[in-house]
């Protein structure tokens, strides 16, 4: 099944949560932070007032509480407005 976002919405696959710290300490599941970046899987066509800046394949940074989680084919994805995206990694 595929989803085509409408208007200025974007479908994002969140990056996996960090398993260890930089010093090698293993992070338990209860202490893992929600990832704040992900990969754009699909975008809408934009609106007459806002053209789409992000495109499929972009790695983006978004707010901690941005978007709505959806379950699709066993994967947890986020759908959010383009305006909820804070930046694009280059």
């Amino acid at each position: 099944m595929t989803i085509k976002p409408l208007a200025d919405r974007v479908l994002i696959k969140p990056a996996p949560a960090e398993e260890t710290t930089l010093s090698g300490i293993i992070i338990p599941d209860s202490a893992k932070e929600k990832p704040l970046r992900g990969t754009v899987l699909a975008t809408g066509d934009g609106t007459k007032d806002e053209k789409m800046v992000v495109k499929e394949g972009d790695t983006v940074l978004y707010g901690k509480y941005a978007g709505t989680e959806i379950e699709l084919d066993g994967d947890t994805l986020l759908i959010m407005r383009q305006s909820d995206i804070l930046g694009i990694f280059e």
Side-chain angles (χ1 to χ4, degrees):
M1 180 187 306
T2 60
I3 293 180
K4 172 69 174 157
L6 300 176
D8 64 338
R9 289 186 171 74
V10 180
L11 184 66
I12 296 176
K13 180 175 177 104
E18 295 293 325
E19 299 285 328
T20 60
T21 63
L22 292 175
S23 60
I25 298 172
I26 298 173
I27 302 171
D29 288 340
S30 60
K32 288 183 185 170
E33 299 243 349
K34 184 178 173 184
L36 300 177
R37 72 178 193 178
T39 304
V40 176
L41 299 179
T43 64
D45 295 326
T47 63
K48 65 179 182 174
D49 298 325
E50 184 176 359
K51 75 173 196 160
M52 295 304 287
V53 176
V54 297
K55 59 187 179 307
E56 291 182 27
D58 282 348
T59 301
V60 295
L61 177 69
Y62 51 86
K64 190 171 191 172
Y65 301 106
T68 302
E69 284 190 1
I70 58 172
E71 188 82 20
L72 182 66
D73 297 332
D75 289 331
T76 300
L77 305 174
L78 287 172
I79 192 161
M80 66 182 70
R81 291 188 180 278
Q82 178 177 250
S83 60
D84 291 335
I85 295 174
L86 304 174
I88 301 172
F89 287 96
E90 294 186 352

